[in-house]
Every structure is written in C-alpha cells, then in structure tokens.
C-alpha cells in the first residue's frame, strides 16, 4: 500500500503573504530607483539634445554673411547686434553672443554688456565647435560655441548661443509622466507575477511555514542518521534524493544523491529489489558482506506520486543464528533417532545376555562397533584433514537418518592442510545439505536415495563435485538458482531457503573459481577453486561472506555452514 502523507493546514496563508509583501516592497524600491535613474539618464539626453540645438543656432549665426563681413573689418557693432538679436528671437535662444578674438562682445541680449570682455577664454581657437553648460548673465543655459570665419576664411571670433535651463527642465517634466506610467505598469506586472509565485510556493511547500520547514529538515536529518535501518528515497524519475549513513554502509553506496540506481549499482537482485522490480515484503538480498531485508513503499500526497522510500535492515546475525539453530535442531533430531536405534541395540544385547547367548552378544557388539569405525576409517583413507573428516562423518549420519546414503567417491583425495580449507568446509556443507534435501524430496530410485561426493586436490586446483538422485534443476534455471532467495521448497523450520547456493556462488566467484550445474534429473554441482590460495581465511573462525562460523567440532557437527 502506498505511503500517503498528510500535512496540517495550520498557519495557512502566512508564508505566501510574507513572500508577496516582501516581493512588493522589492518591486516598489527597484521601480522607484529605476525611475530616478531613468530620469537622470533622460535629463542627460535632453541636455545633449539642447546643447546640439544651441550649437546649431551658433553655427547659423556664424554662417550669416553680414556678421562675417562686419567682424572681418573689426566693427559694425550695430549690424552684428541687429542680426544676432534677430536670430536669437527666431530660434528662441536665451542669447546669441558674437565675440572677437580678444574676447570683446559685439552682441548681447543686454546692450549695456556690448563692448565688455567675457570672463571665459576663447575655446574655438582650435577651429572646432564646443558644447556644454554655461552660467552666464542670463542664467544657466545649454551652450554651443562655433568658430566665426571672415569672408577670406580667416578665424575672426566665435559665436556663443544658449538655450535657457527652464526649457530643458520643461521638456523633462513633459516626458516624466510617460516614464512613470511605464514604471507603474512594470510594477503591476511584477506584483501579479509575485502573487502567482507566492501561490505556487505555497502549493509546493504544502502550506508549511518557514519555521515548520526548518524544523522538519532538522527532525529528518536527526531521524535518518540516528536510526539503525538504512533509508533510501527516490523521486518519481528514480533518482536518489535521500540516503542515510546506514544505507551507505549496507549497500556500499558512495556519492549517490541525484543519480539513478542503475548508475551506481550493477544489475542483480539488489538493484531489482530497490527499484521495485521485485515485489513483496522483507525481500532477502545477499551481498558480499550482509544479508539484507529490503522493503519498498511508494509515496503519494493528495493523489500525486512523489517517488518511493526503501528501508534496508541488516539481518546478517539473525539469519546466521536462525540457520545455526536449525542445524542444531536437525542434529538433535539425528541424535534422538540414534538414541532410539541405540536403545533397540541395547535391548537386543540385553535379550541375548538374558537367554545366555554370551558369544552371540559379544559378536553383535563387535559388529556394531566395527560399522562406525569402518565409516570413519574409510573417510580418513581419502581425506587427511580432521575438520573435513568430522564434517563428512556428521553429514553421513544425518543423511542416513533421513534415508539417504552419502557416498565418498573413490577418486577423492585431500591433504591434511589443503588450500581453501575453510571455504571448502562451507561449500561442501551447503552442497551436501541441498543434495540431501533434493534426494529426500524426489521419488526413491531402485537403488535407493543417494548423494555422491568427490573432493580432489590437484596441483593447480581443488575440485568438489556433488551429485544426487533428486528431481534435478528445472531447465532454464541454471543461472537463477544462484540468486539469493531462489528455492523450489518452502522454508524449513527457522532457516530461510535460497541462501546456501547464493553463498557458495559468491564465495567461489570472489576467489576466482567456477561453479557449474547440470540440468534435468539428478543434479550435479561442480566447483573448482584455483591453487595457490591467495587469500587464506584466518584460523579459528570461518569467515564466509562476512559471517563468522566456529570451526572445530561445532563446525563439523553443523556442517561448517554460515547460514
């Protein structure tokens, strides 16, 4: 069932209102600043325009033939004043002043200033026109100065024209309402966009306030990194959005945030369990170091899919203990059966002694002791290692109690300290356990249920072969049988099926060995491990896929299995 999130509606509207108010303040401030900056920029533009107009008036006056003729002869002040005033009035300029090269005015709106020198130096001596602002007798004006040439082309003075400041400001004030309208429209559009954005943020945050979001983030971080389970979250596109420390440890994930699972994990059962291909609860996944229980749950909010959350639990110790407990129970059942058989034998001996058949009783006791001794001796003839001998004797006894004959092949040979010893104990124990189960689960052949084992130590490899008389491996399943969780039989007791072959497969692959299996009735498993053993297991404990199993008598008794 998908996980559905319900968010409280407390504090509805506060976050969106605060966002909207802040955005409106920002828009208003930026709009006002932009209006002022635009006004200054427009003022500069109008100043430049009026300066060019003033220069055009000055150039018009400098091109007037009467002014040029009069100034070339150094007089004619009346003519210069008359023509200059006519041009000033026609153009609307505040002044048109004609100055000779000595700085003496020959025209001016104030006649009393004619003949007086100007305060500024002559700037057109370079022959170029000049513009700027001028603070003259008529007030501040936009000014343009043009060189004045006589009829012969000789520089005889300059003409300075000005347009009053109030004309420039008047033009600016006439344009400002239009600029203000544009700024108001821009602010209104920005306010509408801010309102829509605030509503979208409100939906995105599910109506939560900023303080609530910050609290949720702190709680989430504390929870994710404090729990003992691994947690991985995915978005609807399958990208990793959340992964805690325990998940990184159990799954071997490095930098996983923002990446898809198929980019960080190889194809296999673990990937299929995490991405939802495998369905069910407590999916068992075997890695190189752990036995994991994986659960995946889709997450929806108000009918909208938000992705999925996967929890990963480490069941390594639990599964190991359960399988060890199951092995102990199996051994207990075998001992109980042996006790029953021993009781029957004691009754026979007691009966023989009761009737006085002392010689027959003696012969019967010697025969019984010889059977057990013969079994151990036949194994020791081919197997030199005491741990392997104890394992095979124990497995033979348990198999016999289940009606299966365990036969050690004549080609078997193993030294006292063979390579891959601890791995061989695990491999042989698991394969024999599966073979006995398969033989018991199938129909009894004419010669009886049987499991044949061959262990051969050669110069370049160690080969283990286990064959049974069971129904065999289904066709087309020779690859899937090595996946953790695959089994044709239900769980037995407390031990979970489908882990033994996966363990053997991983163990063989890790040490560059090979494992093959035949299809059809009577499965034959063949395992080869290269020699020399480049990674020997530590003495005193058997480490198989990260799970310690005691060696010695206990390992021999429970089959040396780690599961």
């Amino acid at each position: 069932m998908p996980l559905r999130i319900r968010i409280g509606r407390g504090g509805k509207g506060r976050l969106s209102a605060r966002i909207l108010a802040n955005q409106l303040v920002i828009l208003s401030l930026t709009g006002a600043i932009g209006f002022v900056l635009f006004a200054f920029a427009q003022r500069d533009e109008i100043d430049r325009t009026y300066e060019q107009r003033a220069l055009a008036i000055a150039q018009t006056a400098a091109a007037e033939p009467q002014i040029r003729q009069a100034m070339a002869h150094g007089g004619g002040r009346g003519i210069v004043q008359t023509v200059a005033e006519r041009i000033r009035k026609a153009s609307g300029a505040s002044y048109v002043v004609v100055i000779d090269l000595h700085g003496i005015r020959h025209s001016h709106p104030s006649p009393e200033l004619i003949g007086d020198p100007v305060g500024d130096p002559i700037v057109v001596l370079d022959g170029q026109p000049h513009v700027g602002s001028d603070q003259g007798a008529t007030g501040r004006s936009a000014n343009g100065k043009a060189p004045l040439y006589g009829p012969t082309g000789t520089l005889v003075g300059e003409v300075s024209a000005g347009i009053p400041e109030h004309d420039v400001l008047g033009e600016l004030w006439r344009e400002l309402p239009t600029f203000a309208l544009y700024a108001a429209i821009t602010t209104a559009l920005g306010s509408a966009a801010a309102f829509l954005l605030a509503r979208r943020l409100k939906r995105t945050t599910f109506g939560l306030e900023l303080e609530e979001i910050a609290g949720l983030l702190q709680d989430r971080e504390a929870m994710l990194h404090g729990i003992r389970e691994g947690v991985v979250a995915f978005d609807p596109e399958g990208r990793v959005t959340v992964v805690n420390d325990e998940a990184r440890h159990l799954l071997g994930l490095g930098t996983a945030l923002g990446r898809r699972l198929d980019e960080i994990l190889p194809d296999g059962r673990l990937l299929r369990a995490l991405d939802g291909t495998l369905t069910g609860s407590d999916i068992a996944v075997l890695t190189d170091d752990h036995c994991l229980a994986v659960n995946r749950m889709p997450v929806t909010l108000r009918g909208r899919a938000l992705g999925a959350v996967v929890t990963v639990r480490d069941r390594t110790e639990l599964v190991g203990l359960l399988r060890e407990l199951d092995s102990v129970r199996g051994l207990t059942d075998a001992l109980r059966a042996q006790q029953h058989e021993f009781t029957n034998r004691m009754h026979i001996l007691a009966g023989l002694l009761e009737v006085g058949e002392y010689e027959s009783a003696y012969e019967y006791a010697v025969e019984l002791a010889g059977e057990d001794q013969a079994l151990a001796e036949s194994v020791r003839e081919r197997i030199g290692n005491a741990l392997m001998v104890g394992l095979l004797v124990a497995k033979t006894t348990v198999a016999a109690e289940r009606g299966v004959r365990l036969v050690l092949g004549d080609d078997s040979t193993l030294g006292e300290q063979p390579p891959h010893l601890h791995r061989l104990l695990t491999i042989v124990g698991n394969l024999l356990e599966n073979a006995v189960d398969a033989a018991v689960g199938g129909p009894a052949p004419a010669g009886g249920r049987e499991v044949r084992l061959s262990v051969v130590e050669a110069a370049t490899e160690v080969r283990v072969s286990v064959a049974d008389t069971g129904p065999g491996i289904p066709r087309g399943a020779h690859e899937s049988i090595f996946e953790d969780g695959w089994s044709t039989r239900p769980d037995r007791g407390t031990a979970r099926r489908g882990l033994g072959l996966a363990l053997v497969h991983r163990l063989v692959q890790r040490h560059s060995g090979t494992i093959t299996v035949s299809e059809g009735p009577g499965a034959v498993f063949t395992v080869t491990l290269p020699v020399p053993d480049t990674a020997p297991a530590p003495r005193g404990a058997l480490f198989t896929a990260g799970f310690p199993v005691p060696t010695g008598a206990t390992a021999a008794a429970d089959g040396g299995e780690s599961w």
Side-chain angles (χ1 to χ4, degrees):
M1 178 180 297
L3 176 63
R4 291 180 172 84
I5 302 176
R6 293 181 173 85
I7 301 298
R9 305 294 292 178
K12 177 181 178 181
R14 287 184 294 170
L15 176 60
S16 58
R18 289 160 61 183
I19 294 175
L20 179 60
N22 291 333
Q23 289 178 329
L24 290 178
V25 171
I26 294 174
L27 286 173
S28 300
L29 289 176
T30 54
I33 294 173
F35 177 78
V36 172
L37 294 177
F38 189 80
F40 277 106
Q42 191 64 19
R43 169 62 187 273
D44 293 338
E45 182 66 24
I46 294 176
D47 283 343
R48 287 191 294 270
T49 301
Y50 274 78
E51 287 170 358
Q52 293 298 321
R53 288 177 57 185
L55 177 61
I57 296 172
Q59 290 175 334
T60 300
E64 180 64 38
Q66 292 179 328
I67 294 179
R68 295 176 64 188
Q69 183 69 28
M71 291 300 295
H73 294 87
R77 294 180 180 177
I79 296 174
V80 173
Q81 172 70 2
T82 300
V83 175
E85 281 299 298
R86 186 179 70 245
I87 295 174
R88 181 185 69 81
K89 293 176 181 179
S91 62
S94 61
Y95 60 87
V96 175
V97 179
V98 179
I99 307 168
D100 60 20
L101 295 179
H102 301 289
I104 303 301
R105 300 185 182 95
H106 289 263
S107 68
H108 198 278
S110 300
E112 65 273 11
L113 296 179
I114 297 176
D116 293 341
V118 296
D120 298 328
I122 305 299
V123 298
V124 297
L125 296 178
D126 57 359
Q128 300 296 324
H130 295 267
V131 295
S133 296
D134 178 57
Q135 185 65 41
T138 59
R140 187 169 184 82
S141 304
N143 177 258
K145 296 179 180 181
L148 177 61
Y149 295 97
T152 60
T154 304
L155 183 66
V156 295
E158 74 174 15
V159 178
S160 177
I163 298 176
E165 177 81 8
H166 61 80
D167 288 351
V168 178
L169 294 177
E171 180 70 19
L172 177 62
W173 282 109
R174 285 191 294 271
E175 294 186 6
L176 284 183
T178 304
F179 303 152
L181 177 62
Y182 292 157
I185 294 175
T186 303
T187 303
L189 292 177
S191 300
F195 177 74
L196 295 176
L197 177 61
R199 292 189 61 184
R200 180 177 177 83
L201 289 175
K202 178 182 175 182
R203 290 195 301 268
T204 304
T205 58
F206 308 110
L208 293 175
E209 299 301 320
L210 294 177
E211 296 79 6
E212 294 173 329
I213 295 174
L216 285 177
L217 177 61
Q218 294 174 352
D219 294 342
R220 190 201 72 165
E221 291 299 312
M223 177 186 67
L224 287 178
H225 298 287
I227 61 178
R228 295 295 302 273
E229 288 190 358
V231 177
V232 185
F234 308 95
D235 63 11
E237 286 73 31
R239 291 187 293 267
V240 178
T241 57
V242 174
V243 55
N244 67 348
D245 297 336
E246 187 68 11
R248 295 181 190 274
H249 169 67
L250 296 177
L251 302 178
L253 299 178
T255 305
L257 292 178
R259 302 174 64 186
R260 297 178 60 88
L261 277 175
D262 53 8
E263 298 175 356
I264 56 180
L265 290 176
D267 185 26
R269 183 176 174 84
L270 178 59
L271 176 61
R272 295 194 293 274
L274 293 178
D275 65 13
T277 304
L278 297 179
T279 58
S281 61
D282 288 338
I283 301 174
V285 177
L286 181 64
T287 68
D288 289 341
D289 299 314
H290 305 280
C291 178
L292 307 177
V294 179
N295 288 279
R296 178 185 172 97
M297 182 175 295
V299 179
T300 61
L301 176 64
R302 298 168 188 165
R304 182 177 58 175
L306 301 181
V309 174
V310 174
T311 59
V312 182
R313 286 178 292 165
D314 185 5
R315 301 186 61 184
T316 303
E317 295 182 1
L318 177 61
V319 171
L321 290 174
L322 290 177
R323 292 191 67 86
E324 184 176 351
L325 176 60
D326 191 72
S327 297
V328 172
R329 286 182 175 177
L331 181 60
T332 302
D333 293 339
L335 292 176
R336 185 179 297 110
Q338 286 182 345
Q339 180 185 8
H340 180 70
E341 180 66 18
F342 181 78
T343 302
N344 291 335
R345 292 175 180 178
M346 292 298 101
H347 288 165
I348 294 174
L349 283 175
L352 291 174
L353 294 175
E354 184 69 24
V355 298
E357 294 291 337
Y358 302 112
E359 184 175 352
S360 298
Y362 175 75
E363 292 176 355
Y364 181 69
V366 171
E367 180 183 355
L368 293 179
E371 290 180 359
D372 296 336
Q373 186 67 24
L375 173 62
E377 290 299 329
S378 65
V379 174
R380 287 194 182 95
E381 289 177 0
R382 300 175 180 87
I383 306 300
N385 182 264
L387 292 177
M388 185 63 72
V389 171
L391 170 64
L392 297 182
V393 171
K395 286 294 184 183
T396 301
T397 303
V398 173
E401 295 299 331
R402 301 183 65 185
V404 178
R405 183 173 64 257
L406 197 156
V407 180
L408 182 63
D410 294 336
D411 61 339
S412 298
T413 173
L414 195 67
E416 292 185 2
Q417 293 297 328
H420 302 286
L421 172 59
H422 295 82
R423 286 179 282 278
L424 283 175
L425 291 171
T426 299
I427 293 171
V428 171
N430 279 284
L431 292 181
L432 288 179
E433 183 74 16
N434 288 342
V436 171
D437 287 343
V440 172
R449 295 183 175 90
E450 182 178 276
V451 173
R452 299 189 65 85
L453 168 67
S454 174
V455 183
V456 178
E457 178 184 356
T460 59
E461 65 181 15
V462 178
R463 185 178 70 257
V464 177
S465 178
V466 177
D468 61 70
T469 58
I473 303 300
R475 294 194 179 277
H478 61 283
E479 293 184 357
S480 58
I481 62 173
F482 296 113
E483 290 188 0
D484 33 316
W486 189 95
S487 180
T488 59
R489 295 179 299 278
D491 292 348
R492 183 194 65 201
T494 57
R496 187 157 190 162
R497 295 279 189 183
L499 297 178
L501 288 180
L503 170 64
V504 172
H505 184 257
R506 286 181 176 272
L507 190 60
V508 171
Q509 279 194 331
R510 185 187 300 177
H511 296 282
S512 304
T514 61
I515 180 171
T516 59
V517 58
S518 64
E519 292 185 347
V524 179
F525 286 85
T526 303
V527 174
T528 60
L529 293 173
V531 175
D533 181 3
T534 57
R539 297 186 63 83
L542 173 59
F543 285 82
T544 306
F547 309 123
V549 177
T551 59
T554 305
D558 65 18
E561 299 179 53
S562 65
W563 298 99

